Coordinates of all heavy atoms in Angstrom, one line a residue:
M1 N -20.5 -27.9 -6.1 CA -21.4 -26.8 -5.4 C -20.6 -25.5 -5.5 O -19.4 -25.5 -5.3 CB -21.7 -27.3 -4.0 CG -22.8 -26.4 -3.4 SD -23.4 -27.1 -1.9 CE -24.3 -25.7 -1.3
H2 N -21.3 -24.5 -5.6 CA -20.7 -23.2 -5.7 C -20.9 -22.4 -4.4 O -22.1 -22.3 -3.9 CB -21.2 -22.4 -6.9 CG -20.6 -21.0 -7.0 ND1 -19.3 -20.9 -7.5 CD2 -21.0 -19.8 -6.7 CE1 -19.0 -19.6 -7.5 NE2 -20.1 -18.9 -7.0
F3 N -19.9 -21.9 -3.8 CA -20.0 -21.2 -2.5 C -19.8 -19.7 -2.8 O -19.0 -19.3 -3.6 CB -19.0 -21.6 -1.5 CG -19.3 -23.1 -1.1 CD1 -18.4 -24.1 -1.5 CD2 -20.4 -23.4 -0.3 CE1 -18.7 -25.4 -1.1 CE2 -20.7 -24.7 0.0 CZ -19.8 -25.7 -0.4
K4 N -20.6 -18.9 -2.1 CA -20.5 -17.4 -2.3 C -19.5 -16.8 -1.4 O -19.2 -15.6 -1.5 CB -21.9 -16.8 -2.0 CG -22.9 -17.3 -3.0 CD -24.0 -16.3 -3.1 CE -25.0 -16.6 -4.3 NZ -26.0 -17.6 -3.9
I5 N -18.9 -17.6 -0.5 CA -17.9 -17.0 0.4 C -16.5 -17.3 -0.2 O -16.2 -18.4 -0.6 CB -18.1 -17.5 1.8 CG1 -19.4 -16.8 2.3 CG2 -16.9 -17.2 2.7 CD1 -19.8 -17.2 3.7
R6 N -15.6 -16.3 -0.1 CA -14.3 -16.5 -0.6 C -13.3 -15.9 0.4 O -13.6 -15.2 1.3 CB -14.1 -15.7 -1.9 CG -14.9 -16.3 -3.0 CD -14.8 -15.4 -4.3 NE -15.9 -15.7 -5.2 CZ -16.3 -14.9 -6.1 NH1 -15.7 -13.8 -6.4 NH2 -17.4 -15.3 -6.9
K7 N -12.0 -16.3 0.1 CA -10.9 -15.8 1.0 C -11.0 -14.3 1.1 O -11.3 -13.6 0.1 CB -9.6 -16.3 0.4 CG -8.4 -16.1 1.2 CD -7.2 -16.7 0.5 CE -6.0 -16.5 1.4 NZ -5.5 -15.2 1.5
D8 N -10.6 -13.8 2.3 CA -10.6 -12.4 2.5 C -11.9 -11.7 2.7 O -12.0 -10.5 2.9 CB -9.7 -11.6 1.5 CG -8.3 -12.0 1.5 OD1 -7.8 -12.5 2.6 OD2 -7.6 -11.9 0.5
D9 N -13.0 -12.4 2.6 CA -14.3 -11.8 2.8 C -14.5 -11.5 4.3 O -13.9 -12.2 5.2 CB -15.4 -12.8 2.5 CG -15.7 -12.9 1.0 OD1 -15.3 -12.0 0.3 OD2 -16.4 -13.8 0.6
Q10 N -15.2 -10.4 4.6 CA -15.6 -10.1 6.0 C -16.9 -10.8 6.3 O -17.8 -10.7 5.5 CB -15.8 -8.6 6.2 CG -14.5 -7.8 6.1 CD -13.5 -8.1 7.2 OE1 -13.9 -8.4 8.3 NE2 -12.2 -8.0 6.9
I11 N -16.9 -11.6 7.4 CA -18.1 -12.4 7.7 C -18.5 -12.2 9.1 O -17.7 -11.7 9.9 CB -17.9 -13.9 7.4 CG1 -16.7 -14.4 8.2 CG2 -17.7 -14.1 5.9 CD1 -17.0 -14.8 9.6
M12 N -19.7 -12.6 9.4 CA -20.2 -12.7 10.8 C -20.6 -14.1 11.1 O -21.3 -14.7 10.2 CB -21.3 -11.7 11.0 CG -21.9 -11.7 12.4 SD -23.2 -10.6 12.7 CE -22.3 -9.1 12.9
I13 N -20.4 -14.6 12.3 CA -20.8 -15.9 12.6 C -22.2 -15.9 13.1 O -22.6 -15.0 13.9 CB -19.9 -16.5 13.8 CG1 -18.4 -16.6 13.2 CG2 -20.4 -17.8 14.2 CD1 -17.5 -17.1 14.2
K14 N -23.0 -16.8 12.6 CA -24.5 -16.7 12.9 C -24.9 -17.6 14.0 O -26.0 -17.4 14.6 CB -25.2 -17.2 11.6 CG -25.2 -16.3 10.5 CD -26.3 -16.7 9.4 CE -26.0 -18.1 8.9 NZ -27.0 -18.5 7.9
V15 N -24.2 -18.7 14.3 CA -24.6 -19.6 15.4 C -23.4 -20.0 16.3 O -22.3 -19.7 16.0 CB -25.1 -20.9 14.7 CG1 -26.4 -20.7 14.0 CG2 -24.1 -21.6 13.9
G16 N -23.8 -20.6 17.4 CA -22.7 -21.1 18.3 C -22.2 -20.1 19.3 O -22.8 -19.0 19.4
R17 N -21.2 -20.5 19.9 CA -20.7 -19.7 21.1 C -20.1 -18.4 20.6 O -19.9 -17.5 21.4 CB -19.7 -20.5 21.9 CG -18.4 -20.8 21.2 CD -17.5 -21.8 22.0 NE -16.5 -22.4 21.1 CZ -15.2 -22.0 21.0 NH1 -14.8 -21.0 21.8 NH2 -14.4 -22.6 20.2
E18 N -19.7 -18.3 19.3 CA -19.2 -17.0 18.8 C -20.1 -16.3 17.9 O -19.7 -15.5 17.1 CB -17.8 -17.3 18.1 CG -16.8 -17.8 19.1 CD -15.4 -18.0 18.5 OE1 -15.3 -18.8 17.6 OE2 -14.5 -17.3 19.0
K19 N -21.4 -16.5 18.1 CA -22.4 -15.9 17.4 C -22.3 -14.3 17.4 O -22.1 -13.8 18.5 CB -23.8 -16.3 17.9 CG -25.0 -15.8 17.2 CD -26.2 -16.3 17.8 CE -27.4 -15.7 17.1 NZ -28.7 -16.1 17.7
G20 N -22.3 -13.7 16.3 CA -22.3 -12.2 16.3 C -20.8 -11.7 16.1 O -20.7 -10.5 15.9
K21 N -19.9 -12.6 16.2 CA -18.5 -12.1 16.0 C -18.2 -12.0 14.5 O -18.7 -12.7 13.7 CB -17.5 -13.1 16.7 CG -17.5 -13.0 18.2 CD -16.2 -13.6 18.7 CE -16.2 -13.5 20.2 NZ -15.1 -14.3 20.8
T22 N -17.3 -11.1 14.2 CA -16.9 -10.8 12.9 C -15.5 -11.1 12.6 O -14.7 -11.0 13.6 CB -17.2 -9.4 12.4 OG1 -16.5 -8.5 13.2 CG2 -18.7 -9.1 12.5
G23 N -15.1 -11.5 11.4 CA -13.8 -11.8 11.1 C -13.5 -11.9 9.6 O -14.5 -11.7 8.8
K24 N -12.3 -12.3 9.3 CA -11.9 -12.3 7.9 C -11.7 -13.8 7.5 O -11.1 -14.5 8.3 CB -10.7 -11.5 7.7 CG -10.3 -11.2 6.3 CD -9.2 -10.2 6.2 CE -8.0 -10.8 5.4 NZ -6.9 -10.0 5.5
V25 N -12.2 -14.2 6.3 CA -12.0 -15.6 5.9 C -10.5 -15.8 5.5 O -10.0 -15.1 4.7 CB -12.9 -15.8 4.7 CG1 -12.6 -17.2 4.1 CG2 -14.4 -15.7 5.0
A26 N -9.9 -16.7 6.2 CA -8.5 -17.1 6.0 C -8.4 -18.1 4.9 O -7.4 -18.2 4.1 CB -7.9 -17.6 7.3
R27 N -9.4 -19.0 4.8 CA -9.3 -20.1 3.9 C -10.7 -20.7 3.7 O -11.5 -20.8 4.6 CB -8.4 -21.2 4.6 CG -7.8 -22.2 3.7 CD -6.5 -22.8 4.3 NE -6.7 -23.3 5.6 CZ -7.0 -24.6 5.8 NH1 -7.1 -25.5 4.9 NH2 -7.1 -25.1 7.1
V28 N -10.9 -21.2 2.5 CA -12.2 -21.8 2.2 C -11.8 -23.3 1.8 O -10.9 -23.5 1.1 CB -12.9 -21.2 1.0 CG1 -14.2 -21.9 0.7 CG2 -13.2 -19.7 1.3
I29 N -12.6 -24.2 2.3 CA -12.4 -25.6 2.0 C -13.6 -26.1 1.3 O -14.5 -26.6 1.9 CB -12.1 -26.5 3.3 CG1 -11.1 -25.8 4.2 CG2 -11.7 -27.9 2.9 CD1 -11.1 -26.3 5.6
P30 N -13.6 -25.9 -0.1 CA -14.9 -26.2 -0.8 C -15.3 -27.7 -0.8 O -16.5 -27.9 -0.7 CB -14.5 -25.8 -2.3 CG -13.1 -25.2 -2.2 CD -12.5 -25.5 -0.9
D31 N -14.4 -28.6 -0.7 CA -14.7 -30.0 -0.7 C -15.6 -30.3 0.5 O -16.4 -31.2 0.5 CB -13.4 -30.9 -0.6 CG -12.6 -30.8 -1.8 OD1 -13.1 -30.2 -2.8 OD2 -11.4 -31.3 -1.8
K32 N -15.3 -29.6 1.6 CA -16.1 -29.9 2.8 C -17.1 -28.9 3.2 O -17.9 -29.0 4.1 CB -15.1 -30.0 4.0 CG -14.2 -31.2 3.9 CD -13.2 -31.3 5.1 CE -12.4 -32.5 5.1 NZ -11.2 -32.5 6.0
G33 N -17.2 -27.9 2.3 CA -18.1 -26.8 2.6 C -17.8 -26.1 3.9 O -18.7 -25.7 4.6
M34 N -16.5 -25.8 4.1 CA -16.1 -25.2 5.4 C -15.2 -24.0 5.1 O -14.6 -23.9 4.1 CB -15.4 -26.2 6.3 CG -16.4 -27.4 6.6 SD -15.7 -28.5 7.9 CE -16.4 -27.8 9.3
V35 N -15.2 -23.2 6.1 CA -14.3 -22.0 6.1 C -13.5 -21.9 7.4 O -13.9 -22.4 8.4 CB -15.1 -20.7 5.9 CG1 -15.5 -20.5 4.5 CG2 -16.2 -20.6 6.9
V36 N -12.3 -21.3 7.2 CA -11.5 -21.0 8.4 C -11.5 -19.5 8.5 O -11.2 -18.8 7.6 CB -10.1 -21.5 8.3 CG1 -9.2 -21.1 9.4 CG2 -10.1 -23.0 8.1
I37 N -11.8 -19.0 9.7 CA -11.9 -17.5 10.0 C -10.7 -17.1 10.8 O -10.5 -17.8 11.9 CB -13.2 -17.1 10.7 CG1 -14.4 -17.8 10.1 CG2 -13.4 -15.6 10.7 CD1 -14.7 -17.6 8.6
E38 N -10.0 -16.1 10.4 CA -8.9 -15.6 11.2 C -9.3 -15.4 12.7 O -10.2 -14.6 12.9 CB -8.3 -14.3 10.6 CG -7.4 -14.6 9.4 CD -6.9 -13.3 8.8 OE1 -7.0 -12.2 9.4 OE2 -6.3 -13.4 7.7
K39 N -8.6 -16.0 13.6 CA -8.7 -15.8 15.0 C -10.1 -16.1 15.6 O -10.4 -15.6 16.7 CB -8.3 -14.3 15.4 CG -7.0 -13.8 14.9 CD -5.9 -14.4 15.8 CE -4.5 -14.1 15.1 NZ -3.6 -15.2 15.4
L40 N -10.9 -16.8 14.9 CA -12.2 -17.2 15.4 C -12.3 -18.7 15.4 O -11.6 -19.4 14.7 CB -13.3 -16.6 14.6 CG -13.5 -15.1 14.8 CD1 -14.7 -14.6 14.0 CD2 -13.8 -14.8 16.3
N41 N -13.2 -19.2 16.3 CA -13.4 -20.7 16.4 C -12.1 -21.4 16.8 O -11.7 -22.4 16.2 CB -14.0 -21.2 15.1 CG -14.7 -22.5 15.4 OD1 -15.3 -22.8 16.5 ND2 -14.8 -23.4 14.4
M42 N -11.4 -20.8 17.7 CA -10.1 -21.3 18.1 C -10.3 -22.6 18.9 O -11.2 -22.7 19.8 CB -9.3 -20.3 19.0 CG -9.1 -18.9 18.3 SD -8.0 -19.0 16.9 CE -6.4 -19.2 17.7
V43 N -9.4 -23.5 18.7 CA -9.4 -24.8 19.5 C -8.0 -25.0 20.0 O -7.1 -24.6 19.4 CB -9.9 -26.0 18.6 CG1 -11.4 -25.9 18.4 CG2 -9.1 -26.1 17.4
R44 N -8.0 -25.7 21.1 CA -6.7 -26.1 21.6 C -6.3 -27.5 21.1 O -7.1 -28.4 21.2 CB -6.7 -26.1 23.1 CG -6.8 -24.7 23.6 CD -6.8 -24.6 25.1 NE -6.8 -23.2 25.5 CZ -6.6 -22.8 26.8 NH1 -6.4 -23.7 27.7 NH2 -6.5 -21.6 27.1
R45 N -5.1 -27.5 20.6 CA -4.6 -28.8 20.2 C -3.3 -29.2 21.0 O -2.5 -28.3 21.2 CB -4.2 -28.7 18.7 CG -5.4 -28.6 17.8 CD -5.7 -29.9 17.0 NE -7.0 -29.9 16.5 CZ -7.3 -29.3 15.3 NH1 -6.4 -28.7 14.6 NH2 -8.6 -29.4 14.9
H46 N -3.3 -30.4 21.3 CA -2.0 -30.9 22.0 C -1.0 -31.2 20.9 O -1.3 -31.8 19.9 CB -2.3 -32.1 22.8 CG -3.1 -31.8 24.0 ND1 -2.6 -31.4 25.2 CD2 -4.5 -31.8 24.2 CE1 -3.6 -31.2 26.1 NE2 -4.7 -31.4 25.5
Q47 N 0.2 -30.6 21.1 CA 1.2 -30.9 20.1 C 2.3 -31.7 20.7 O 2.8 -31.4 21.8 CB 1.7 -29.5 19.6 CG 2.3 -29.6 18.2 CD 2.5 -28.2 17.7 OE1 3.2 -27.4 18.2 NE2 1.9 -28.0 16.5
K48 N 2.7 -32.6 19.9 CA 3.8 -33.5 20.3 C 5.1 -32.7 20.2 O 5.2 -31.8 19.3 CB 3.9 -34.7 19.4 CG 2.9 -35.8 19.8 CD 3.0 -36.9 18.9 CE 1.9 -37.9 19.1 NZ 1.7 -38.9 18.0
P49 N 6.1 -33.0 21.0 CA 7.4 -32.2 20.9 C 7.9 -32.4 19.5 O 7.8 -33.5 18.9 CB 8.3 -33.0 21.9 CG 7.3 -33.6 22.9 CD 6.1 -33.9 22.1
S50 N 8.5 -31.3 19.0 CA 9.1 -31.4 17.6 C 10.4 -30.6 17.6 O 10.9 -30.1 18.7 CB 8.1 -30.7 16.6 OG 8.0 -29.3 17.0
Q51 N 11.1 -30.6 16.5 CA 12.3 -29.9 16.4 C 12.2 -28.4 16.9 O 13.0 -27.9 17.6 CB 12.8 -29.9 14.9 CG 13.3 -31.2 14.4 CD 14.7 -31.6 14.9 OE1 15.3 -30.9 15.7 NE2 15.1 -32.8 14.6
K52 N 11.1 -27.8 16.4 CA 10.9 -26.4 16.7 C 10.5 -26.1 18.1 O 10.9 -25.2 18.7 CB 9.8 -25.9 15.7 CG 10.2 -24.6 15.0 CD 9.4 -24.3 13.8 CE 8.1 -23.7 14.1 NZ 7.3 -23.5 12.9
N53 N 9.6 -27.1 18.6 CA 9.1 -26.9 19.9 C 9.4 -28.2 20.7 O 8.6 -29.1 20.7 CB 7.6 -26.6 19.8 CG 6.9 -26.4 21.1 OD1 7.5 -26.5 22.2 ND2 5.6 -26.1 21.1
K54 N 10.5 -28.1 21.4 CA 10.9 -29.4 22.1 C 10.1 -29.8 23.2 O 10.0 -31.0 23.6 CB 12.4 -29.2 22.5 CG 13.4 -29.1 21.4 CD 14.8 -29.5 21.9 CE 15.7 -29.8 20.8 NZ 15.8 -28.9 19.6
Q55 N 9.4 -28.9 23.8 CA 8.5 -29.2 24.9 C 7.2 -29.8 24.5 O 6.5 -30.5 25.3 CB 8.2 -27.9 25.7 CG 9.4 -27.3 26.3 CD 9.5 -27.6 27.8 OE1 8.7 -27.1 28.6 NE2 10.5 -28.4 28.2
G56 N 6.7 -29.5 23.3 CA 5.4 -29.8 22.9 C 4.4 -28.9 23.6 O 4.8 -27.9 24.1
G57 N 3.2 -29.4 23.8 CA 2.3 -28.6 24.6 C 1.0 -28.3 23.9 O 0.7 -29.0 22.9
I58 N 0.4 -27.2 24.3 CA -0.9 -26.9 23.8 C -0.8 -25.7 22.8 O -0.2 -24.7 23.2 CB -2.0 -26.6 24.9 CG1 -2.2 -27.9 25.7 CG2 -3.3 -26.1 24.3 CD1 -2.9 -27.7 27.0
V59 N -1.3 -25.8 21.6 CA -1.3 -24.7 20.7 C -2.8 -24.3 20.4 O -3.6 -25.2 20.4 CB -0.6 -24.9 19.4 CG1 0.9 -25.0 19.7 CG2 -1.0 -26.2 18.8
E60 N -3.0 -23.0 20.1 CA -4.3 -22.6 19.7 C -4.4 -22.5 18.2 O -3.4 -21.9 17.6 CB -4.7 -21.3 20.4 CG -4.8 -21.4 21.9 CD -6.1 -20.6 22.4 OE1 -6.2 -19.5 22.0 OE2 -6.9 -21.2 23.1
K61 N -5.4 -23.0 17.6 CA -5.5 -23.0 16.2 C -7.0 -22.8 15.8 O -7.9 -23.1 16.5 CB -5.1 -24.4 15.8 CG -4.3 -24.5 14.5 CD -4.0 -25.9 14.1 CE -3.9 -26.0 12.6 NZ -4.3 -27.2 12.1
E62 N -7.1 -22.1 14.6 CA -8.5 -21.9 14.1 C -9.0 -23.2 13.6 O -8.4 -23.9 12.8 CB -8.5 -20.9 13.0 CG -8.2 -19.5 13.4 CD -6.8 -19.0 12.9 OE1 -5.9 -19.9 12.7 OE2 -6.6 -17.8 12.9
A63 N -10.2 -23.6 14.0 CA -10.9 -24.8 13.5 C -11.8 -24.4 12.4 O -12.5 -23.3 12.4 CB -11.7 -25.5 14.6
P64 N -11.9 -25.2 11.3 CA -12.9 -24.9 10.2 C -14.3 -24.9 10.8 O -14.6 -25.7 11.7 CB -12.6 -26.0 9.2 CG -11.4 -26.6 9.6 CD -11.2 -26.4 11.1
M65 N -15.2 -24.1 10.2 CA -16.6 -24.2 10.5 C -17.4 -24.2 9.2 O -16.9 -23.9 8.1 CB -17.0 -23.0 11.4 CG -17.0 -21.7 10.7 SD -17.7 -20.4 11.8 CE -16.4 -20.3 13.0
S66 N -18.6 -24.7 9.3 CA -19.5 -24.8 8.1 C -19.8 -23.4 7.5 O -20.0 -22.5 8.2 CB -20.8 -25.5 8.5 OG -21.7 -25.5 7.4
I67 N -19.7 -23.4 6.2 CA -20.0 -22.2 5.5 C -21.4 -21.7 5.8 O -21.6 -20.5 5.8 CB -19.8 -22.4 3.9 CG1 -18.3 -22.3 3.6 CG2 -20.6 -21.4 3.1 CD1 -18.0 -22.5 2.1
S68 N -22.3 -22.6 6.1 CA -23.7 -22.2 6.3 C -23.8 -21.5 7.7 O -24.8 -20.9 8.0 CB -24.6 -23.4 6.3 OG -24.2 -24.3 7.2
N69 N -22.7 -21.5 8.5 CA -22.8 -20.8 9.8 C -22.3 -19.4 9.7 O -22.3 -18.7 10.8 CB -21.9 -21.6 10.8 CG -22.6 -22.9 11.2 OD1 -23.7 -23.2 10.8 ND2 -21.9 -23.7 12.0
V70 N -21.9 -18.9 8.6 CA -21.4 -17.6 8.5 C -22.1 -16.8 7.4 O -22.6 -17.4 6.4 CB -19.8 -17.5 8.2 CG1 -19.1 -18.2 9.3 CG2 -19.5 -18.1 6.8
M71 N -22.1 -15.5 7.5 CA -22.8 -14.6 6.5 C -21.8 -13.5 6.2 O -21.1 -13.0 7.0 CB -24.0 -14.0 7.1 CG -25.3 -14.9 6.9 SD -26.7 -14.0 7.5 CE -27.5 -13.5 6.0
I72 N -21.9 -13.1 4.9 CA -21.0 -12.0 4.4 C -21.5 -10.7 5.0 O -22.7 -10.5 5.1 CB -21.0 -12.0 2.9 CG1 -20.2 -13.2 2.4 CG2 -20.4 -10.7 2.4 CD1 -20.0 -13.3 0.9
I73 N -20.6 -9.8 5.3 CA -20.9 -8.5 5.8 C -20.8 -7.5 4.7 O -19.8 -7.5 4.0 CB -20.0 -8.1 7.0 CG1 -20.3 -8.9 8.2 CG2 -20.2 -6.6 7.3 CD1 -19.3 -8.7 9.3
C74 N -21.9 -6.8 4.5 CA -21.9 -5.7 3.5 C -21.4 -4.4 4.1 O -21.8 -4.0 5.2 CB -23.3 -5.5 3.0 SG -23.5 -4.0 2.0
E75 N -20.4 -3.8 3.5 CA -19.7 -2.6 4.0 C -20.7 -1.5 4.1 O -20.7 -0.7 5.0 CB -18.6 -2.2 3.1 CG -17.3 -2.9 3.4 CD -16.2 -2.5 2.4 OE1 -16.2 -1.3 2.0 OE2 -15.4 -3.4 2.0
K76 N -21.6 -1.5 3.2 CA -22.6 -0.4 3.1 C -23.7 -0.6 4.2 O -24.1 0.4 4.9 CB -23.2 -0.3 1.7 CG -23.6 1.1 1.3 CD -23.9 1.1 -0.2 CE -24.9 2.3 -0.5 NZ -25.3 2.2 -1.9
C77 N -24.2 -1.8 4.3 CA -25.3 -2.1 5.3 C -24.7 -2.2 6.7 O -25.4 -2.2 7.7 CB -26.0 -3.4 4.9 SG -26.8 -3.3 3.3
K78 N -23.4 -2.4 6.8 CA -22.7 -2.6 8.1 C -23.3 -3.8 8.9 O -23.4 -3.7 10.1 CB -22.8 -1.3 9.0 CG -22.4 -0.1 8.3 CD -21.0 0.4 8.8 CE -20.6 1.7 8.1 NZ -19.6 1.5 7.1
G79 N -23.6 -4.8 8.1 CA -24.1 -6.0 8.8 C -24.2 -7.2 7.9 O -23.8 -7.0 6.7
P80 N -24.5 -8.3 8.4 CA -24.6 -9.5 7.6 C -25.8 -9.5 6.7 O -26.9 -9.1 7.0 CB -24.8 -10.6 8.7 CG -25.4 -10.0 9.8 CD -25.0 -8.5 9.8
V81 N -25.5 -9.9 5.4 CA -26.5 -9.8 4.4 C -26.5 -11.1 3.5 O -25.5 -11.8 3.5 CB -26.3 -8.6 3.5 CG1 -26.5 -7.3 4.2 CG2 -25.0 -8.7 2.8
R82 N -27.6 -11.3 2.8 CA -27.6 -12.3 1.8 C -27.0 -11.8 0.6 O -27.1 -10.6 0.2 CB -29.1 -12.7 1.5 CG -29.7 -13.4 2.7 CD -31.0 -14.1 2.2 NE -31.5 -14.9 3.3 CZ -31.1 -16.1 3.6 NH1 -30.2 -16.7 2.8 NH2 -31.6 -16.7 4.6
V83 N -26.3 -12.7 -0.1 CA -25.5 -12.3 -1.3 C -26.1 -13.0 -2.5 O -26.4 -14.2 -2.5 CB -24.1 -12.6 -1.0 CG1 -23.2 -12.4 -2.3 CG2 -23.5 -11.7 0.1
G84 N -26.2 -12.3 -3.6 CA -26.6 -12.9 -4.9 C -25.5 -12.7 -5.9 O -24.5 -12.0 -5.6
T85 N -25.6 -13.3 -7.0 CA -24.6 -13.1 -8.0 C -25.3 -12.5 -9.3 O -26.4 -12.9 -9.6 CB -23.8 -14.3 -8.4 OG1 -24.7 -15.4 -8.7 CG2 -22.8 -14.7 -7.3
K86 N -24.6 -11.7 -10.0 CA -25.2 -11.1 -11.2 C -24.1 -10.9 -12.2 O -22.9 -10.8 -11.9 CB -26.0 -9.8 -10.9 CG -25.1 -8.7 -10.5 CD -25.9 -7.4 -10.2 CE -25.0 -6.3 -9.7 NZ -25.8 -5.1 -9.3
K87 N -24.5 -10.8 -13.5 CA -23.6 -10.6 -14.5 C -23.5 -9.1 -14.9 O -24.6 -8.5 -15.1 CB -23.9 -11.4 -15.8 CG -23.4 -12.9 -15.6 CD -23.0 -13.4 -17.0 CE -22.1 -14.6 -16.8 NZ -22.6 -15.8 -17.6
L88 N -22.3 -8.6 -15.0 CA -22.2 -7.2 -15.4 C -22.3 -7.2 -16.9 O -22.2 -8.2 -17.6 CB -20.8 -6.7 -15.0 CG -20.6 -6.6 -13.5 CD1 -19.2 -6.1 -13.2 CD2 -21.6 -5.7 -12.8
D89 N -22.3 -5.9 -17.5 CA -22.4 -5.7 -18.9 C -21.3 -6.4 -19.7 O -21.4 -6.9 -20.8 CB -22.5 -4.2 -19.3 CG -23.7 -3.6 -18.7 OD1 -24.7 -4.4 -18.5 OD2 -23.8 -2.4 -18.6
D90 N -20.1 -6.4 -19.0 CA -18.9 -7.0 -19.7 C -18.9 -8.5 -19.5 O -17.9 -9.2 -19.9 CB -17.6 -6.4 -19.2 CG -17.4 -6.6 -17.7 OD1 -18.2 -7.3 -17.1 OD2 -16.4 -6.0 -17.2
G91 N -19.9 -9.1 -18.9 CA -20.0 -10.6 -18.8 C -19.3 -11.1 -17.6 O -19.4 -12.3 -17.3
K92 N -18.7 -10.2 -16.8 CA -18.1 -10.7 -15.5 C -19.2 -10.9 -14.5 O -20.1 -10.1 -14.4 CB -17.1 -9.6 -15.1 CG -15.9 -10.1 -14.4 CD -14.9 -9.0 -14.1 CE -14.9 -8.6 -12.7 NZ -14.1 -7.5 -12.4
S93 N -19.0 -12.0 -13.8 CA -20.0 -12.3 -12.7 C -19.5 -11.8 -11.4 O -18.4 -12.0 -11.0 CB -20.3 -13.8 -12.8 OG -20.4 -14.3 -11.5
V94 N -20.3 -11.0 -10.7 CA -19.9 -10.4 -9.4 C -21.0 -10.8 -8.3 O -22.1 -11.1 -8.6 CB -19.8 -8.9 -9.5 CG1 -18.6 -8.5 -10.3 CG2 -21.1 -8.3 -9.9
R95 N -20.6 -10.7 -7.1 CA -21.5 -10.9 -6.0 C -22.0 -9.5 -5.5 O -21.3 -8.5 -5.6 CB -20.8 -11.6 -4.8 CG -20.3 -13.0 -5.2 CD -19.4 -13.6 -4.1 NE -18.3 -12.7 -3.9 CZ -17.5 -12.8 -2.8 NH1 -17.8 -13.7 -1.9 NH2 -16.5 -12.0 -2.6
Y96 N -23.3 -9.5 -5.1 CA -23.8 -8.2 -4.6 C -24.7 -8.5 -3.4 O -25.1 -9.6 -3.1 CB -24.7 -7.6 -5.8 CG -25.9 -8.3 -6.1 CD1 -27.2 -7.9 -5.5 CD2 -25.9 -9.4 -6.9 CE1 -28.3 -8.6 -5.8 CE2 -27.1 -10.1 -7.2 CZ -28.3 -9.7 -6.6 OH -29.4 -10.4 -6.9
C97 N -24.9 -7.4 -2.7 CA -25.7 -7.4 -1.5 C -27.2 -7.4 -1.9 O -27.6 -6.5 -2.6 CB -25.4 -6.2 -0.6 SG -26.5 -6.0 0.7
K98 N -28.0 -8.4 -1.4 CA -29.4 -8.4 -1.8 C -30.2 -7.3 -1.1 O -31.3 -7.1 -1.5 CB -29.9 -9.8 -1.5 CG -29.6 -10.8 -2.5 CD -30.3 -12.1 -2.3 CE -30.1 -13.1 -3.4 NZ -30.7 -14.4 -3.1
K99 N -29.6 -6.7 -0.1 CA -30.3 -5.7 0.7 C -30.2 -4.3 0.0 O -31.2 -3.7 -0.3 CB -29.7 -5.6 2.1 CG -30.7 -5.3 3.2 CD -30.1 -5.7 4.5 CE -30.6 -4.9 5.6 NZ -29.9 -5.4 6.9
C100 N -28.9 -3.9 -0.3 CA -28.7 -2.6 -0.9 C -28.2 -2.6 -2.3 O -28.0 -1.6 -2.9 CB -27.8 -1.8 0.0 SG -26.1 -2.4 -0.1
S101 N -28.0 -3.8 -2.9 CA -27.6 -4.0 -4.2 C -26.1 -3.6 -4.5 O -25.6 -3.6 -5.6 CB -28.4 -3.3 -5.3 OG -29.8 -3.8 -5.2
E102 N -25.4 -3.2 -3.4 CA -24.0 -2.9 -3.6 C -23.2 -4.1 -4.0 O -23.4 -5.2 -3.5 CB -23.5 -2.4 -2.2 CG -22.0 -2.0 -2.2 CD -21.8 -0.6 -2.6 OE1 -22.8 0.1 -3.1 OE2 -20.7 -0.1 -2.5
V103 N -22.3 -3.9 -5.0 CA -21.5 -5.0 -5.5 C -20.4 -5.2 -4.5 O -19.7 -4.3 -4.0 CB -20.9 -4.7 -6.9 CG1 -19.8 -5.7 -7.3 CG2 -22.0 -4.6 -7.9
I104 N -20.2 -6.5 -4.1 CA -19.2 -6.8 -3.1 C -17.8 -7.1 -3.7 O -16.8 -6.7 -3.1 CB -19.7 -8.1 -2.2 CG1 -20.9 -7.6 -1.4 CG2 -18.6 -8.7 -1.4 CD1 -21.7 -8.8 -0.8
D105 N -17.8 -7.7 -4.8 CA -16.5 -7.9 -5.5 C -16.1 -6.6 -6.2 O -16.7 -6.2 -7.2 CB -16.6 -9.0 -6.5 CG -17.0 -10.3 -5.9 OD1 -16.2 -10.7 -4.9 OD2 -17.9 -10.9 -6.3
K106 N -15.0 -6.0 -5.7 CA -14.6 -4.7 -6.3 C -13.6 -5.0 -7.4 O -12.8 -5.9 -7.3 CB -14.0 -3.9 -5.2 CG -15.0 -3.4 -4.2 CD -15.9 -2.4 -4.7 CE -16.9 -1.8 -3.8 NZ -17.8 -2.3 -2.9
Ligands
ZN1 ZN1 -25.7 -3.9 1.6

């Protein structure tokens, strides 16, 4: 399956407790159809004591979320938009905003 979201994309969360929040894609997990967004969808994990952290304790970490729960933000539209792909004259395939036709891949 081909996903339209890539690392470093600006996205907005569409559902859940962080609906409407925006962030940057830190990682895409294509096998699972999930993305990790910087500083969003944080979860608390209990960590066992280790060399680095002898006490152990609770750490906050970004949890992956489904790609279908996020939308790409178009810089020109200043909001979440649907994205299509098209081929340029030189054969390169780029993503574009379906609302204003602005090419997202620079
Ligand atoms: Zn746009």
